[in-house]
């Protein structure tokens, strides 16, 4: 740890071999961070602590929470998500490359999902193995041949990126089903504007507020009724869901209906909202629950969260569902390996952003290499997200490694592995002092009926709050930062 404005010759904090977002070396601040560093350096540790406490109080008052599920505890724990006040800053040119790479990636992924449920050219041409698609737990045969409004399968997506110690960005993961974190991006900027108006308004940074309107216009564009004012509803699993705050926030900000499955009914292959004075036709359903639960007649018959008959209304073309059912076939962690090939196949372009090197444990040679080097690997279960079902070899005990080894040998198709990447670090405030933490970036993308992806400028920087940890997921105790893109 160190004070924010180090004296000449005094190291701010140890950089080691990691790329640091703020410091170019132990004695120099990167040019795009100088204003922020100077601003925080003028404040005493007591002032900074007071601001931090005020920030947490505001978050508690506004109910900005996330629910943690710990297997060791009987009850889930709701808490305010840790928010660090030192923003993460991305220069304009750097963001330009990221934005282009993200647009390229999401465009190819959307084409892939359409292809998989129609002609399957990419399988016939031997680019992606048929077995990997057909046996994928997120593949939905019910979507075969179905026309999706506007051809936009992936209305919302969250693309996770990391910066390695070589200074380059890599795509870590694609989240294409029900990506979360939008609310923390918007509220983080709002809170920074309230607590540090002199900082945010004196810096030339891209605005994110207009993206709420873009979000609404994207949903409107999907409406099959073509009415001037389509009825939009956000389907939530309910108040006990870990991201319920976000569901309520987005519904309120966009002025759409926040509903649970019991609030909706299907009649004559049309979706309706139950209201006090009767039924109101719903044109677009932005769902925040997984495929299995949206319609007990089509998927899991035990689901009490969805709407019986919803898929019949969808097949009839009377309602749009965002994201389209079946998009998960493209964000499976094993399918991630083939995304660069999808870009070359569908767009005839070279990928702008690289994947992290990835081993498919269904392949004998990959499996042998990973098992021989487990301590140097991150192993992930292909169908899980949020940091669950994961082993970080360098942080695991020998017993944990041995247990995971048995799981891999028993069901190799369920796992992929990646070398442990040196995630870049950025300073956080801790008791008025500055301390380095590892970070990643979740970039959010919106796609409407025009199929032109819009990347929200900045995204959400996620922070591993525990010193030395590489796990940034909110579900595992991670925090967030406001992310500034210089304009």
């Amino acid at each position: 740890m160190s004070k924010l404005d180090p004296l000449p010759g005094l190291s701010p904090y140890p950089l080691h071999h990691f790329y640091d977002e703020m410091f170019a070396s132990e004695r120099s601040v990167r040019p795009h961070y100088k204003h922020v560093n100077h601003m925080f350096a003028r404040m005493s540790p007591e002032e900074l602590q007071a601001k931090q406490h005020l920030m947490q109080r505001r978050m508690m008052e506004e109910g900005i929470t996330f629910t943690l599920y710990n297997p060791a505890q009987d009850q889930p724990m709701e808490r305010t998500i840790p928010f660090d006040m030192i923003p993460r800053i991305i220069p304009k040119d750097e963001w330009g490359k990221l934005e282009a790479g993200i647009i390229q990636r999401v465009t190819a992924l959307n084409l892939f999902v359409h292809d998989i449920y129609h002609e399957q050219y990419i399988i016939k041409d031997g680019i992606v193995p048929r077995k990997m698609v057909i046996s994928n737990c997120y593949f939905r045969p019910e979507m075969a041949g179905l026309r999706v409004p506007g051809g936009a399968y992936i209305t919302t997506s969250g693309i996770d990126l990391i910066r390695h110690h070589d200074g380059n960005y890599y795509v870590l993961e694609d989240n294409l089903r029900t990506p979360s974190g939008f609310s923390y991006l918007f509220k983080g900027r709002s809170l920074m504007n309230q607590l540090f108006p002199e900082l945010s308004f004196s810096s030339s940074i891209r605005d994110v507020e207009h993206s709420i309107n873009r979000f609404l216009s994207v949903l409107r564009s999907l409406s099959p009724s073509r009415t001037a004012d389509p009825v939009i509803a956000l389907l939530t699993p309910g108040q006990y869901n870990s991201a319920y705050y976000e569901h309520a926030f987005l519904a309120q900000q966009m002025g759409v209906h926040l509903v649970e499955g019991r609030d909706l009914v299907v009649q004559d292959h049309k979706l309706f909202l139950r209201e006090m004075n009767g039924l109101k036709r719903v044109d677009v359903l932005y769902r925040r629950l997984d495929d299995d639960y949206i319609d007990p007649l089509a998927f899991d018959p035990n689901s009490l969260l969805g709407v019986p008959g919803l898929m019949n209304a969808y097949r009839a073309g009377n309602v749009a569902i965002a994201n389209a059912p079946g998009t998960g076939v493209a964000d499976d962690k094993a399918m991630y390996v083939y995304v660069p090939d999808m870009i070359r196949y569908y767009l005839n372009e070279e990928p702008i952003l690289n994947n992290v090197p990835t081993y498919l444990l269904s392949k004998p040679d990959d499996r042998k290499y990973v098992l021989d080097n487990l301590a140097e690997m991150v192993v992930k279960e292909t169908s899980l997200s949020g940091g669950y079902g994961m082993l970080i070899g360098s942080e695991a005990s020998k017993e944990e490694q041995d247990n995971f080894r048995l799981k891999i040998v028993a069901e190799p198709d369920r796992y992929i592995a990646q070398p442990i990447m040196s995630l870049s670090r950025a300073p956080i405030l801790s008791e008025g002092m500055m301390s380095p933490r590892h970070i990643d970036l979740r970039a959010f993308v919106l796609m409407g009926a025009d199929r032109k992806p819009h990347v929200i400028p900045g995204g959400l920087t996620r922070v591993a709050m525990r010193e030395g940890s590489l796990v940034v997921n909110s579900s595992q105790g991670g925090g967030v930062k406001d992310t500034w893109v210089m304009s």
Side-chain angles (χ1 to χ4, degrees):
M1 286 189 182
S2 169
K3 290 184 178 179
L4 283 165
D5 201 13
L7 295 172
L10 180 65
S11 170
Y13 57 39
L15 296 179
H16 298 307
H17 66 286
F18 301 109
Y19 185 98
D20 193 90
E21 299 291 337
M22 180 181 278
F23 294 99
S25 71
E26 293 188 343
R27 291 184 175 87
S28 65
V29 177
R30 297 188 189 279
H32 52 284
Y33 265 101
K34 285 187 175 178
H35 179 55
V36 167
N37 182 67
H38 178 69
M39 192 74 177
F40 278 97
R42 295 206 319 248
M43 302 175 69
S44 69
E46 292 74 24
E47 288 177 289
L48 291 169
Q49 280 187 279
K51 289 272 191 183
Q52 192 80 57
H53 292 152
L54 180 57
M55 173 79 75
Q56 291 300 317
R57 194 174 75 209
R58 290 272 176 87
M59 294 179 77
M60 184 64 75
E61 289 170 351
E62 296 186 32
I64 307 174
T65 59
F66 193 91
T67 303
L68 293 179
Y69 296 94
N70 187 338
Q73 296 177 340
D74 293 334
Q75 296 294 328
M77 179 180 69
E78 188 173 24
R79 57 150 203 174
T80 57
I81 192 165
F83 184 92
D84 184 67
M85 297 188 298
I86 303 178
R88 191 259 188 90
I89 305 176
I90 302 176
K92 177 181 178 181
D93 291 346
E94 192 174 289
W95 177 255
K97 180 180 178 180
L98 285 176
E99 186 177 41
I102 292 163
I103 289 172
Q104 179 193 58
R105 192 173 183 97
V106 172
T107 300
L109 284 164
N110 195 74
L111 289 169
F112 170 73
V113 179
H114 178 275
D115 188 19
I116 286 304
Y117 292 115
H118 291 81
E119 294 84 6
Q120 298 192 343
Y121 290 131
I122 200 166
I123 293 176
K124 294 172 185 175
D125 288 338
I127 307 299
V128 175
R130 177 179 296 276
K131 178 184 176 184
M132 185 166 284
V133 173
I134 303 303
S135 64
N136 190 301
C137 67
Y138 297 122
F139 177 71
R140 302 297 177 195
E142 298 86 352
M143 291 295 294
L146 197 152
R147 180 184 173 275
V148 169
Y153 286 83
I154 307 171
T155 306
T156 64
S157 52
I159 309 300
D160 293 345
L161 303 121
I162 62 167
R163 195 204 292 266
H164 196 33
H165 64 69
D166 60 10
N168 293 317
Y169 283 95
Y170 294 83
V171 177
L172 185 65
E173 199 168 284
D174 304 296
N175 298 277
L176 310 178
R177 284 167 284 152
T178 55
S180 63
F182 291 96
S183 60
Y184 305 126
L185 181 160
F186 294 120
K187 285 304 297 183
R189 179 61 56 85
S190 174
L191 289 169
M192 285 294 290
N193 288 344
Q194 292 174 36
L195 293 175
F196 296 96
E198 70 283 11
L199 178 63
S200 55
F201 293 123
S202 63
S203 303
S204 298
I205 55 177
R206 295 271 301 274
D207 176 53
V208 297
E209 295 299 327
H210 74 281
S211 292
I212 282 281
N213 293 330
R214 184 62 173 261
F215 206 142
L216 179 59
S217 66
V218 159
L219 293 174
R220 284 172 175 266
S221 75
L222 302 177
S223 172
S225 68
R226 306 296 177 90
T227 59
D229 189 22
V231 176
I232 302 170
L234 190 159
L235 177 61
T236 175
Q239 61 179 324
Y240 298 110
N241 183 263
S242 62
Y244 182 72
Y245 165 76
E246 170 153 300
H247 305 165
F249 173 85
L250 290 176
Q252 189 272 328
Q253 290 294 308
M254 289 191 285
V256 304
H257 299 276
L258 180 65
V259 300
E260 296 181 34
R262 60 191 175 186
D263 300 318
L264 302 170
V265 64
V266 172
Q267 292 184 3
D268 300 323
H269 298 327
K270 298 180 180 68
L271 182 66
F272 294 92
L273 171 65
R274 303 178 198 268
E275 291 193 320
M276 293 293 291
N277 56 351
L279 299 178
K280 176 185 281 189
R281 173 89 178 270
V282 175
D283 300 293
V284 181
L285 189 67
Y286 172 37
R287 50 81 176 237
R288 289 297 298 263
L289 63 162
D290 289 338
D291 292 352
D292 284 340
Y293 308 111
I294 61 174
D295 182 350
L297 299 183
F299 303 119
D300 186 347
N302 298 312
S303 173
L304 300 177
L305 302 174
V307 188
L310 174 61
M311 285 300 293
N312 288 334
Y314 188 52
R315 290 189 193 97
N318 292 324
V319 66
I321 301 176
N323 287 356
T327 54
V329 70
D331 78 358
D332 175 272
K333 290 178 174 61
M335 199 63 72
Y336 157 94
V337 176
Y338 293 93
V339 177
D341 294 325
M342 295 176 197
I343 293 170
R344 297 183 186 100
Y345 184 78
Y346 293 115
L347 305 180
N348 196 28
E349 299 171 356
E350 281 300 308
I352 297 170
L353 298 172
N354 291 321
N355 276 11
V356 173
T358 304
Y359 300 93
L360 289 174
L361 300 191
S362 56
K363 296 182 177 180
D365 290 345
D366 283 12
R367 183 165 66 251
K368 182 179 185 306
Y369 179 80
V370 169
L371 292 175
D372 289 344
N373 297 274
L374 203 54
E376 301 166 16
M377 295 287 166
V378 177
V379 184
K380 302 176 182 178
E381 192 166 342
T382 59
S383 62
L384 296 182
S385 59
Y388 296 104
M390 183 170 73
L391 175 85
I392 300 178
S394 60
E395 297 181 9
S397 65
K398 186 176 185 306
E399 182 182 2
E400 289 171 329
Q401 290 183 30
D402 289 343
N403 288 339
F404 229 87
R405 191 186 305 275
L406 293 174
K407 293 179 181 180
I408 292 170
V409 171
E411 296 181 276
D413 288 4
R414 288 182 59 184
Y415 299 95
I416 58 101
Q418 297 169 329
I420 296 173
M421 302 290 282
S422 301
L423 275 65
S424 66
R425 299 194 306 183
I428 68 163
L429 285 174
S430 178
E431 299 179 356
M433 305 290 277
M434 188 171 59
S435 184
R437 293 292 186 274
H438 291 290
I439 60 171
D440 80 352
L441 176 67
R442 174 164 290 184
F444 293 105
V445 191
L446 304 170
M447 181 190 290
D450 61 2
R451 281 174 282 174
K452 294 180 179 178
H454 166 74
V455 186
I456 299 177
L460 184 69
T461 292
R462 304 186 302 173
V463 185
M465 298 305 291
R466 183 164 55 86
E467 188 171 2
S469 174
L470 297 172
V471 181
V472 300
N473 307 75
S474 301
S475 54
Q476 306 296 317
V480 297
K481 282 176 174 286
D482 190 15
T483 306
W484 293 2
V485 171
M486 305 307 290
S487 63

